Amino acid sequence: MAIDVYLNFNGNCREAVEFYAEAFGTESPKIMTFGETPADPNYPLPEEAKQLVMHTRLNIQGSNVMFSDVFPGMPFVAGTNITLSVISKDIDEVKALFHKLKEGGTVGMELQETFWSKCYGSLTDKFGIGWQFNLDSGETY
């Protein structure tokens, strides 16, 4: 199991991740935009979202740091744009930690299958800390 840092940006994620990659001397990141995600006819993608970064990551001196732009219309507050991401190959561990940390907190997304994970969910715990939970399938996005 790993706990990674996840940083959100307000439309300037690509600029930020390229800056950090250069500053830390990492390889150029693979960037997935919202426009590259599988289409859902129930939720058409707004034009302004298509070029925004949905997900990318850098390995900075041994630590994975993940990055994303917030989706248009979602709140962005500098200083609270950091979450911790629990990544485990054990689905029971993911579920147990999610259910423990949601006590007294607020669930943003119940655990469910997504196109990037068989089990993903997010919440803010009772202390105001944001958490994401991912079942690690071994694929990298």
Side-chain angles (χ1 to χ4, degrees):
M1 179 178 74
I3 305 242
D4 294 340
V5 176
Y6 207 111
L7 305 174
N8 291 117
F9 293 85
N10 197 21
N12 60 343
C13 182
R14 183 181 302 270
E15 177 185 357
V17 76
E18 288 172 355
F19 170 79
Y20 294 131
E22 183 180 337
F24 288 101
T26 70
E27 62 183 62
S28 294
K30 295 177 186 170
I31 295 176
M32 176 187 284
T33 65
F34 285 104
E36 295 170 321
T37 63
D40 183 342
N42 296 318
Y43 301 98
L45 195 61
E47 196 60 39
E48 67 270 20
K50 291 182 180 177
Q51 294 305 311
L52 294 176
V53 175
M54 190 239 167
H55 179 76
T56 189
R57 78 172 70 218
L58 294 175
N59 187 282
I60 299 175
Q61 300 187 359
S63 295
N64 283 321
V65 180
M66 298 180 287
F67 304 80
S68 178
D69 280 311
V70 295
F71 197 77
M74 297 297 291
F76 176 86
V77 178
T80 63
N81 55 321
I82 299 171
T83 58
L84 299 175
S85 182
V86 174
I87 301 169
S88 175
K89 293 181 184 292
D90 182 342
I91 194 166
D92 293 328
E93 182 175 52
V94 170
K95 288 178 179 180
L97 288 168
F98 182 88
H99 291 295
K100 285 179 186 174
L101 290 178
K102 80 175 188 180
E103 292 176 16
T106 305
V107 173
M109 183 175 180
E110 286 290 347
L111 289 174
Q112 60 190 271
E113 186 171 341
T114 65
F115 74 87
W116 69 86
S117 177
K118 295 287 184 195
C119 185
Y120 171 84
S122 65
L123 60 84
T124 301
D125 70 21
K126 64 183 176 181
F127 301 104
I129 305 300
W131 294 88
Q132 297 181 57
F133 298 81
N134 269 292
L135 181 64
D136 181 2
S137 66
E139 296 179 30
T140 57
Y141 287 99

